[in-house]
Amino acid sequence: MTISSPAATGYRQSAHAVPHRGWQTAGPARLAAENACARLAGCVRNLPGVLAGLSIGMVTWLGLVAQPIDRSATGGRIDQILSEVHAGAGIAPAALCSDDAFVRRIHLDLAGRIPTVEEVAAFRTLPDRAALIDRLLASPGFSSHFAATWTAWLIGYSNAYQVDRELFRRWLEQQIEQDQPFDSIATRLITASGSAAVEGPVNFLARHRNEPLIKVSRTFLGVRMDCARCHDHPFDRWTREDYGRMSLFFRGLEYRDANGIPSLGDRAIDPAAMNDGNRPRFLTGSEARTGRWRDELALYIVSCRPFARAFANRIWYQLMGRGVVEPPDDFSSANPPSVPELLDHLTDEAVAGGFQIRPLVRAICSSAAYHRSSVRPEGFGPEPFQRLFAVRMVKPLSTDQLIDSVSLATNTTLSMTHRRQMAYALAGGSPDDDFGETWQYSDTVQQLMRKLAIPVAAVEGPAESLYLRILSRDATPRELELVRGRTPSEIVNALIHGSEFCFSH
Amino acid sequence: MDQISGRQRAVSRWPESPAQILLWVALAAAGANGLPRTAIAQDGMQPGGETAGAADLDSRIVAFIRDLAPAGAGDELYGRFLQAAGRRSGRIAIAGHLALLEEEMRQAAAAAALPEFLDGLFEKQGDQYLLRAGQAEFGKKLVEEIGRFEEDIGKVAGELKRVSEKLQGDGETEKLFRRAIDSDLTPALLYSRQMRETMYPGVDVIQRRLADAFAADREGKIFVREQAREAVARLVGQLQMAARMMPVMQREFDALHQEMHAADPLHAELKERMASGRSAAWLSFELASTGQADASGLINRYFESLEGLLEDTGEGLVILESARERVQQSMARSGDIGTRMKVLDQPLREFAGRIDEKRGPLEAEIKQLLQTPVGLVAMATRIDVGTMDASRYVRSLVEQVMDVDDAGKMTVRADRVEAVRNYARELLRNVRQMRRQLDSSSAVVDALADPELQTAVSSLAGRVIVAEKIRQRVAARQYDPLAAFAGEHFDRSESGLVPRPSAMAILSQIVDQAAKIEGELGNDDF
């Protein structure tokens, strides 16, 4: 690979050959190539899928756009499945995204923030996408971001019921940092006991003390048992008896108030002393056999196929912006996967990988599906492109991503208190919901910061540098023309509130 | 420390369920007589307020399994047990057995709690109990405690009687409410939970009121909670600043004190407050909490504004007539803070003494600062204790749901009828529960030989207090079923722990349960 200096060539990079690893992009006419690709895809939209697939191949052959060089069989299989699905549907997927779009996207997904100017520059110098994925996966930012995201998913944003949200987040971060597999994490969450101030995972059930089964089944099985609380599920097979029998696994769970702090423990009940038909029963039909019901429930959950499906789908959803089953906590006969083969494959990979998080994330991020542009071929609506992952979903930044990105863009260090207040404000009226719930613009970010008395360092510099700093790309001549005469503060304000900043695309 | 202030609540907030108010009473004897524990228990003074985490037990089980001797030829059942123990299902089966064993131990301990309590304090002579040697002081304090309790519930009873008489109307709501507050146990019930802890707070009350920021580990050592470290660090900064400001403030107060003319009781009171040291501590903390870093500027501005309320006369400085009301309000507030400081002083020292400074510099700093006057005043501004009496408590309850006219006649407000009914019904339920619990322990106290102690302990207040002490002991007890299991069924050999013949039935049961779990795992989809 020959890399020319951007300054010397006027282009980001040039690549003459596909080396042994990594994403290679052809710089000379990258954007033009994307457009060409999109146009080409548009032209072939009525042709069979073979021809649609050819458009990408041709462009790659021409060395015009990035092409994923996937080191894992998984990434390859994902693309193979989707390629067949796209061909069957007679659609050509969107072109692959530009390097600038990729570097922003991957930082948001794996580090939870926009890239720094230096990181953008480094990637422009050496645009090895696979290497960047690996670097981010190994960085502390990955554990930190996934912990923040999952904390929002698992216990929301509030400290309701005296839970220790920060202890929980740190515990999760530690688990991810130590490469603990997800089945182990799930087991700890379901079986935790002790004080919420001492044992991080206790805070999960302490937070959901009123309806532990609802949250556990949604989170770890992707199944909504809510309806079956009161009546047989109208669109699924779950009955009130299913709900009642599975709820029994939590019957011995005691929430104690230890000097104002919640504490979890169990009152052991011998299932042998219970009549047949009254013992706790899992959705697979498995029944409790010992006095440790939560332990058994956890074992039944992490050993069943729906757990693997829900985990694989959750990771896919988090990275792609849409689950193969969407929403990701609603697996049901009425809501089948959009690409069943893909879900099967991801599930198999999750099981084969022992529920390790990083390998699955790496596999998904290495697939062409992940690298697709968010721009659909001209003339097409969102369907079936989004459902079949032929185009990148445009995702609003999660509350944590937004806070961290604003913080980075404005050179602001937020205290934990400010961070919590800001998350609460941005999460609007639903601070207890998971990260699928997005923030609302009741205030501008600046108004919010002023309201919270957050000191913001002045960001100075020419407009070009501000675009790079905030949007991770160069300003276009038209944009430079538009902002001429504006102060840096005005430009920062405008960019941070633009949809380009507030979305991952 | 915003989290802490968020915990502050009126101690007599009406909608709070009487179930909460009475919970410890309801559970007291449940712990003592082996009744099933309620799903949400109030562990009160349990040292660590927690049990071992599940992961902790799992790791101990794994260590136990590693310590087992290999199976020899012919140990077919034991061999199968070892195989099962190597799998998750086997460990769950072992844990399940231990869970049931712990439940048995807990129930046995609860059933023995009363005899053990009595054995520790009294010697049985014939059919009577005498205080053991060395327990005389305990007996004396117990009688005093009971006496204080009785006196206080007498005041609550008087207030409730007044409400019952002044309550207008004879509808279902009024009749129900009268029934509830006229019960002989209601004053003890209301007093024992809310009022008592605010009037005589112990370290447990401090711990509960500061639960947002502090927690105790299993050994009872206190640490700063993860979620509150930033807030506590900020508080430490404020306290350090206040500690630096306090001597300067006091010098300024001393100078003003010299110049002040004790023209009337208000002036005399103000002079006394200036000299007491508490005012300097309080105001130093208030100023340091403003977030401004310029300590001298803050002090100067404060005294300039204070001097604006005074004027020079030939006799010295006096309060401006137009400022008397403001000064009185401020002194009322400072009086409340002073009262709280007196009440909190001892328990806060005890609380601070339990903070584990080895955890880190933050714990070390806050431990030291909480034992200073500014630390005490900081907590006094946040923890409302010592200022509540029976009359104020009952009045605040009534004011939330009733209109009171000039003659003192009370009428249930139309929008609170349902709340009053629910409250009354729950109160009555808890009264009945309390009566059952207290009846169960009343037979024992009849046997006390000391007439004064016997009279005290057999009174309503005495029975409540004894039940509480027993509950605390039961709640604080730790159980180790794994050690009990290993000790009862295994012998130590050179190759590790070897099961005794007595273990075989249990091992067989564990093997069987593990196999059943394995069988259940065959159902792996739905």
Side-chain angles (χ1 to χ4, degrees):
Chain A
M1 182 170 66
T2 304
I3 299 172
S4 307
S5 149
T9 61
Y11 300 119
R12 305 273 164 72
Q13 74 271 330
S14 64
H16 300 302
V18 176
H20 70 286
R21 55 167 275 172
W23 280 75
Q24 302 305 318
T25 52
R30 182 180 42 80
L31 290 174
E34 279 201 44
N35 292 336
C37 183
R39 280 198 299 277
L40 187 54
C43 291
V44 299
R45 63 181 178 270
N46 295 319
L47 297 177
V50 174
L51 189 52
L54 188 61
S55 65
I56 297 297
M58 284 172 65
V59 175
T60 306
W61 173 73
L62 289 169
L64 293 178
V65 295
Q67 171 68 3
I69 305 302
D70 181 21
R71 288 166 297 157
S72 73
T74 302
R77 179 68 187 134
I78 290 171
D79 293 333
Q80 194 184 346
I81 291 168
L82 289 177
S83 175
E84 286 165 10
V85 166
H86 296 158
I91 58 171
L96 302 172
C97 68
S98 68
D99 280 346
D100 282 353
F102 173 77
V103 76
R104 185 175 190 273
R105 177 187 300 178
I106 197 74
H107 274 85
L108 283 167
D109 281 338
L110 301 190
R113 58 167 176 79
I114 56 171
T116 63
V117 172
E118 293 75 21
E119 285 166 335
V120 174
F123 188 70
R124 285 175 171 184
T125 306
L126 185 62
D128 185 337
R129 296 191 179 193
L132 179 56
I133 292 169
D134 282 344
R135 188 174 66 70
L136 289 173
L137 279 172
S139 72
F142 175 78
S143 311
S144 165
H145 167 54
F146 264 56
T149 305
W150 287 6
T151 299
W153 165 39
L154 294 167
I155 63 172
Y157 282 101
S158 78
N159 282 358
Y161 299 105
Q162 285 294 302
V163 298
D164 197 325
R165 193 178 188 279
E166 181 56 14
L167 185 70
F168 183 81
R169 191 198 64 74
R170 288 201 183 190
W171 174 80
L172 258 183
E173 187 175 357
Q174 199 179 34
Q175 302 303 301
I176 297 166
E177 206 168 88
Q178 294 170 354
D179 271 332
Q180 291 294 323
F182 191 67
D183 59 341
S184 160
I185 293 173
T187 299
R188 293 286 303 278
L189 292 172
I190 297 167
T191 63
S193 63
S195 165
V198 179
E199 306 286 344
V202 161
N203 290 285
F204 174 64
L205 286 183
R207 172 65 190 80
H208 301 287
R209 61 175 62 178
N210 293 332
E211 291 285 0
L213 174 60
I214 299 288
K215 186 64 180 179
V216 163
S217 56
R218 277 180 175 234
T219 303
F220 301 117
L221 301 169
V223 170
R224 296 188 180 187
M225 298 292 289
D226 316 33
C227 293
R229 245 182 321 194
C230 310
H231 51 78
D232 293 352
H233 201 296
F235 310 119
D236 213 339
R237 60 193 144 134
W238 309 121
T239 64
R240 277 188 77 185
E241 193 197 350
D242 291 326
Y243 178 87
R245 293 286 294 275
M246 192 162 153
S247 289
L248 289 176
F249 280 104
F250 294 103
R251 186 167 148 192
L253 181 60
E254 291 184 335
Y255 297 95
R256 298 171 190 150
D257 177 353
N259 282 331
I261 296 168
S263 176
L264 295 189
D266 290 278
R267 183 165 47 89
I269 305 169
D270 188 355
M274 300 180 78
N275 297 330
D276 281 349
N278 287 335
R279 282 199 289 269
R281 187 184 67 198
F282 184 49
L283 298 179
T284 56
S286 303
E287 294 196 354
R289 298 291 179 180
T290 75
R292 295 274 287 194
W293 291 357
R294 284 196 292 147
D295 288 41
E296 284 185 78
L297 175 64
L299 182 62
Y300 294 152
I301 285 178
V302 302
S303 305
C304 76
R305 183 83 176 164
F307 171 78
R309 280 189 209 113
F311 167 64
N313 189 55
R314 171 63 63 170
I315 298 285
W316 179 269
Y317 160 78
Q318 191 174 326
L319 296 168
M320 303 295 286
R322 180 190 171 101
V324 185
V325 170
E326 176 70 19
D329 61 352
D330 191 16
F331 282 67
S332 79
S333 48
N335 185 32
S338 59
V339 185
E341 307 88 334
L342 175 60
L343 183 61
D344 283 345
H345 168 69
L346 293 171
T347 305
D348 289 342
E349 284 300 308
V351 174
F355 297 104
Q356 289 286 332
I357 298 161
R358 282 182 175 81
L360 192 57
V361 171
R362 180 184 288 109
I364 295 170
C365 290
S366 301
S367 70
Y370 181 81
H371 293 251
R372 298 253 168 253
S373 165
S374 56
V375 181
R376 285 189 305 279
E378 208 172 317
F380 286 94
E383 278 300 315
F385 281 82
Q386 293 180 349
R387 189 166 47 84
L388 301 181
F389 307 104
V391 68
R392 164 76 175 185
M393 288 285 292
V394 176
K395 298 191 289 180
L397 302 194
S398 71
T399 303
D400 288 297
Q401 284 172 327
L402 185 68
I403 289 173
D404 285 337
S405 298
V406 167
S407 184
L408 187 68
T410 57
N411 202 17
T412 307
T413 306
L414 290 176
S415 68
M416 196 202 297
T417 308
H418 279 143
R419 197 186 162 83
R420 189 167 55 238
Q421 288 172 330
M422 206 160 164
Y424 222 86
L426 288 169
S430 52
D432 284 341
D433 288 332
D434 73 26
F435 69 99
E437 294 291 327
T438 55
W439 36 263
Q440 301 163 357
Y441 260 178
S442 49
D443 283 308
T444 66
V445 174
Q446 271 78 1
Q447 280 172 337
L448 190 55
M449 285 174 141
R450 268 199 295 275
K451 206 183 276 180
L452 300 176
I454 297 172
V456 182
V459 178
E460 296 293 340
E464 291 88 337
S465 73
L466 297 178
Y467 269 79
L468 193 59
R469 179 189 188 97
I470 294 168
L471 301 181
S472 314
R473 66 167 175 82
D474 295 327
T476 64
R478 169 75 180 142
E479 286 169 332
L480 290 175
E481 180 61 29
L482 281 171
V483 300
R484 179 171 297 151
R486 297 294 180 183
T487 65
S489 167
E490 287 173 324
I491 297 172
V492 168
N493 199 337
L495 293 183
I496 280 182
H497 290 96
S499 57
E500 186 172 352
F501 179 80
C502 299
F503 286 82
S504 171
H505 31 78
Chain B
M1 205 154 59
D2 47 354
Q3 292 97 332
I4 293 177
S5 57
R7 290 277 296 162
Q8 301 310 303
R9 57 177 78 162
V11 287
S12 55
R13 187 177 295 175
W14 178 268
E16 280 194 2
S17 140
Q20 283 175 295
I21 300 171
L22 313 171
L23 210 45
W24 76 264
V25 178
L27 292 168
N33 64 13
L35 290 173
R37 291 165 68 93
T38 308
I40 301 172
Q42 179 81 30
D43 277 353
M45 272 296 288
Q46 190 172 349
E50 57 172 295
T51 53
D56 192 36
L57 178 63
D58 285 345
S59 59
R60 289 190 63 213
I61 290 174
V62 169
F64 166 74
I65 292 166
R66 280 202 197 109
D67 202 16
L68 293 172
D75 294 340
E76 194 257 339
L77 173 62
Y78 181 54
R80 283 196 290 136
F81 170 76
L82 288 179
Q83 269 188 342
R87 292 190 294 269
R88 177 88 183 122
S89 54
R91 291 195 294 278
I92 291 176
I94 294 171
H97 175 73
L98 296 180
L100 294 172
L101 183 59
E102 182 175 347
E103 197 60 33
E104 284 173 22
M105 292 166 79
R106 194 186 304 280
Q107 291 189 6
L114 188 56
E116 277 181 15
F117 176 77
L118 295 173
D119 280 351
L121 296 174
F122 306 105
E123 284 178 298
K124 196 171 184 187
Q125 291 192 354
D127 291 336
Q128 289 195 314
Y129 288 96
L130 294 171
L131 267 175
R132 286 182 185 277
Q135 296 291 358
E137 187 61 22
F138 173 84
K140 190 178 156 207
K141 282 189 176 168
L142 186 61
V143 170
E144 284 171 6
E145 190 181 351
I146 293 168
R148 199 167 60 225
F149 192 110
E150 279 194 316
E151 191 182 325
D152 287 335
I153 60 173
K155 289 178 190 166
V156 179
E159 289 296 326
L160 292 177
K161 186 165 181 289
R162 190 179 62 79
V163 172
S164 182
E165 287 166 359
K166 294 282 185 183
L167 180 60
Q168 304 299 295
D170 206 20
E172 175 63 15
T173 305
E174 290 79 10
K175 284 202 286 195
L176 190 63
F177 187 63
R178 267 195 210 97
R179 257 190 75 209
I181 63 175
D182 287 349
S183 163
D184 58 337
L185 289 187
T186 300
L189 211 54
L190 293 177
Y191 169 78
S192 58
R193 179 60 179 162
Q194 287 199 319
M195 289 182 60
R196 192 173 175 216
E197 78 166 30
T198 63
M199 289 169 77
Y200 316 106
V203 67
D204 58 324
V205 173
I206 310 275
Q207 204 173 324
R208 199 154 47 243
R209 299 291 178 91
L210 300 182
D212 279 341
F214 297 94
D217 63 17
R218 275 174 223 151
E219 284 76 44
K221 290 180 182 167
I222 293 170
F223 60 92
V224 179
R225 292 181 72 177
E226 209 56 56
Q227 64 174 9
R229 297 193 79 78
E230 192 178 276
V232 172
R234 194 163 54 245
L235 176 67
V236 163
Q238 289 166 354
L239 292 175
Q240 286 168 336
M241 182 173 170
R244 288 193 302 274
M245 291 167 73
M246 195 181 144
V248 184
M249 292 287 287
Q250 191 56 57
R251 274 202 302 277
E252 293 291 333
F253 275 132
D254 288 344
L256 267 185
H257 177 264
Q258 295 293 324
E259 287 197 68
M260 281 289 292
H261 170 47
D264 58 20
L266 181 63
H267 285 78
E269 179 71 20
L270 182 59
K271 281 192 70 158
E272 192 189 317
R273 296 274 176 90
M274 285 177 171
S276 73
R278 286 203 185 109
S279 296
W282 177 41
L283 290 164
S284 298
F285 176 69
E286 294 278 306
L287 293 175
S289 304
T290 59
Q292 296 174 46
D294 175 17
S296 329
L298 283 167
I299 293 171
N300 287 339
R301 281 197 294 281
Y302 171 75
F303 279 99
E304 278 166 16
S305 71
L306 181 59
E307 283 170 28
L309 306 177
L310 308 171
E311 69 176 338
D312 278 303
T313 69
E315 302 291 332
L317 280 169
V318 295
I319 301 166
L320 282 170
E321 199 54 39
S322 59
R324 283 184 74 90
E325 195 178 331
R326 275 182 65 192
V327 172
Q328 280 167 332
Q329 283 171 353
S330 177
M331 283 176 60
R333 167 80 176 146
S334 110
D336 271 357
I337 297 291
T339 306
R340 293 184 196 178
M341 286 170 78
K342 278 184 205 159
V343 173
L344 281 174
D345 191 13
Q346 187 50 40
L348 186 61
R349 278 178 198 284
E350 197 182 330
F351 177 84
R354 282 174 51 193
I355 294 177
D356 183 9
E357 70 271 25
K358 289 181 186 146
R359 284 245 182 184
L362 185 58
E363 274 82 0
E365 284 173 329
I366 194 70
K367 178 185 182 115
Q368 183 264 323
L369 286 163
L370 285 182
Q371 298 180 74
T372 63
V374 288
L376 177 60
V377 84
M379 294 302 107
T381 59
R382 287 162 166 77
I383 304 175
D384 183 9
V385 288
T387 55
M388 181 67 69
D389 61 22
S391 162
R392 195 166 156 184
Y393 173 76
V394 173
R395 197 170 56 240
S396 69
L397 273 179
V398 165
E399 279 169 357
Q400 291 174 61
V401 290
M402 295 182 193
D403 291 324
V404 185
D405 68 13
D406 294 341
K409 289 180 181 172
M410 300 168 187
T411 316
V412 175
R413 287 213 304 267
D415 61 335
R416 302 313 300 270
V417 167
E418 201 54 37
V420 171
R421 284 186 182 191
N422 290 339
Y423 184 84
R425 287 191 179 114
E426 208 160 346
L427 202 54
L428 286 164
R429 262 197 304 277
N430 282 286
V431 161
R432 284 193 288 272
Q433 194 174 12
M434 182 183 189
R435 195 182 308 282
R436 282 195 296 275
Q437 311 299 0
L438 295 179
D439 282 349
S440 67
S441 60
S442 61
V444 180
V445 295
D446 293 342
L448 294 177
D450 181 330
E452 190 183 20
L453 194 59
Q454 201 275 334
T455 306
V457 174
S458 60
S459 69
L460 172 61
R463 282 180 289 153
V464 171
I465 286 173
V466 167
E468 183 186 17
K469 289 186 186 305
I470 290 172
R471 180 194 65 83
Q472 287 171 359
R473 286 176 184 226
V474 172
R477 186 166 292 181
Q478 300 286 322
Y479 305 92
D480 190 345
L482 181 56
F485 174 64
E488 189 177 345
H489 296 296
F490 289 82
D491 287 319
R492 168 71 57 194
S493 75
E494 282 184 5
S495 57
L497 292 172
V498 179
R500 293 180 196 145
S502 68
M504 291 309 154
I506 295 168
L507 299 192
S508 170
Q509 191 185 353
I510 289 171
V511 167
D512 182 47
Q513 284 180 335
K516 281 179 178 162
I517 293 174
E518 286 294 324
E520 296 287 11
L521 291 177
N523 307 321
D524 69 348
D525 208 346
F526 53 76

